[in-house]
Amino acid sequence: MAKLWGGRFEAGLDKKTEAFGASITFDQKMARQDLKGSLAHVTMLASTGILTDQEAEEIKAGIRKVEAKYEAGQIEFKIENEDIHMNMETYLHTEIGSVAGKLHTARSRNDQVSTDMHLWIKDTLVETQDKLQNLREVLVALASDHVETIMPGYTHLQHAQPISFGHHIMAYYSMLTRDAERFAFNMKHADISPLGAAALAGTTFPIDRKETAALMGFSDLYVNSIDAVSDRDFILEFLSNASILMMHLSRFCEEIILWCSHEYQFVTLSDAFSTGSSIMPQKKNPDMAELIRGKSGRVYGNLFGLLTVMKSLPLAYNKDLQEDKEGMFDTAETILTSLDVMSGMLATMTVNTSVMAESTEKDFSNATELADYLAAKGLPFRKAHEIVGEMVLECSKAGHYLQDVPLTRYQEVSELIEADIYDTLNSRTAVARRTSFGGTGFDQVKMQIDLAKETLKNESSVSSN
Ligand code: ARG
């Protein structure tokens, strides 16, 4: 069959060039969205009197047949038909004959492709939120089990102060909750219908853009037809939100990889989320965590790819915009599977609580406790800091820790130090006493968990409405 745009051409397209220009190999992922848009469009063409009811009914019946064939896997997409829009229209023509040619009245592939992408991103955002919520629930459950599990808190990857493992996990919960908020905002810009902008300038036909928007489930419509066909911000927002999400997952994965190492042994991953080595029989590798960490690279790449495509692009549609899709599909697949794998890996991970706690007993992570103890008794904090620094140096040289220093020695250093210092230096006490709002004290961690449970409960009651 001749090209749908073939009228002004005398010669056919060079074969290699045809394949180069085609997007059907990837934009077929938007088949359902394309059919949904066409159904809404033809319904409106009838209600505005642009097509007769009879014509519209024939076209609708045809679209439903194409849809059924697509769902049954009976549609063969063809490079000659370039993209999803023209492949579908060609199939429609095969089903119902020349009346199919009326579907494209008052429409362009420019508003059509943008419509399909808005619909596709909307569906993907729902799926993303779902999986993100699941992971956040896994984190809250993990944190709830480990409010009183003590671990070293790090700065510069050096033992800093003892913390609750639950607190550490809830930091990731907070990060992922901001991700969910960003994806929710992304929905605002995805939920706008471009359909009816036509090529770029609108149309002379008396279309009803509100009707098509409502039929497709959009809550808003673009107010400028040029913007409608040129805008890809909603995809850039998705890619950028996805990049931040992957950055979060990758930080977490990096920690898990460290925690699984022989040097830490803080956690043990379940066999279902680990792999072995083909040469070293003892190996159990955290491959999935490494892969998620690595996949953050391709998601950033997709963001930069599209930002670069969009840079300096004149209004309105340019074929460059066809390059907006593969990165979007790849990003969606990457984040959705990463979220699933991450949830499974964390839900089945064993936390070696005693190893974690013991590692805070053979270190100087209680040095701040001693300084705070002196400061609370009236010594200027800077002076206290200096005294404790000297004690740390003395202990390091002697090969022991602050909790091993005898009281007599402490009292030579400062008469403010009494026998209760040993309880103060205990890492569990150190954690429990950090009761400032948002601190690692057990009650503060429980407070965060309660808030998170409340947030998650409200979110699921909103999404089930
Ligand atoms: N396949 C094209 C794309 O993905 C659809 C829009 C084509 N529009 C055009 N005027 N060539 O961007």
Side-chain angles (χ1 to χ4, degrees), residues 277-441:
S277 154
S278 56
I279 177 170
M280 298 165 281
Q282 87 286 6
K283 286 300 279 300
K284 183 171 169 188
N285 296 327
D287 275 31
M288 301 312 139
E290 295 166 50
L291 210 44
I292 293 172
R293 185 179 58 182
K295 279 180 188 291
S296 59
R298 67 195 288 156
V299 173
Y300 294 4
N302 291 335
L303 169 64
F304 269 80
L306 186 57
L307 280 172
T308 313
V309 166
M310 299 304 293
K311 179 184 175 296
S312 313
L313 200 67
L315 301 179
Y317 180 84
N318 298 272
K319 186 76 166 178
D320 314 43
L321 289 174
Q322 186 165 285
E323 288 296 310
D324 60 359
K325 288 172 201 63
E326 285 160 289
M328 172 183 88
F329 295 139
D330 182 72
T331 296
E333 195 179 314
T334 305
I335 63 169
L336 294 174
T337 41
S338 297
L339 286 168
D340 275 347
V341 171
M342 196 80 190
S343 298
M345 187 167 69
L346 289 170
T348 55
M349 178 177 87
T350 308
V351 182
N352 305 327
T353 53
S354 52
V355 180
M356 272 187 186
E358 277 159 24
S359 84
T360 67
E361 280 152 24
K362 299 243 170 305
D363 71 356
F364 289 102
S365 65
N366 50 6
T368 315
E369 306 317 304
L370 181 53
D372 283 355
Y373 178 93
L374 292 170
K377 292 198 174 190
L379 204 63
F381 183 78
R382 282 290 156 232
K383 183 70 196 156
H385 186 287
E386 189 188 323
I387 292 176
V388 179
E390 283 161 11
M391 286 302 293
V392 168
L393 185 63
E394 180 180 314
C395 287
S396 299
K397 285 182 178 162
H400 60 224
Y401 298 99
L402 291 171
Q403 54 274 35
D404 306 319
V405 175
L407 190 58
T408 46
R409 175 65 193 131
Y410 270 132
Q411 287 176 338
E412 282 165 27
V413 173
S414 167
E415 62 214 15
L416 294 172
I417 303 177
E418 293 170 77
D420 61 352
I421 191 58
Y422 297 103
D423 180 43
T424 307
L425 289 174
N426 177 277
S427 43
R428 200 186 146 78
T429 313
V431 176
R433 290 184 63 223
R434 282 196 159 56
T435 53
S436 57
F437 183 82
T440 196

Side-chain angles (χ1 to χ4, degrees), residues 23 27 83 85 109-110 113 317 319 321-322 325:
S23 53
D27 69 9
D83 57 21
H85 326 297
R109 277 187 297 153
N110 297 351
V113 70
Y317 180 84
K319 186 76 166 178
L321 289 174
Q322 186 165 285
K325 288 172 201 63

Side-chain angles (χ1 to χ4, degrees), residues 137-186:
E137 272 159 9
V138 168
L139 290 182
V140 171
L142 184 62
S144 304
D145 288 346
H146 293 286
V147 173
E148 302 206 10
T149 299
I150 310 297
M151 74 178 285
Y154 296 83
T155 62
H156 311 268
L157 214 52
Q158 307 289 319
H159 282 205
Q161 290 171 348
I163 56 170
S164 142
F165 180 60
H167 192 53
H168 195 91
I169 295 299
M170 287 308 286
Y172 282 106
Y173 169 84
S174 295
M175 291 147 80
L176 295 183
T177 299
R178 287 194 296 275
D179 288 323
E181 287 168 6
R182 270 184 287 271
F183 282 116
F185 185 74
N186 200 165

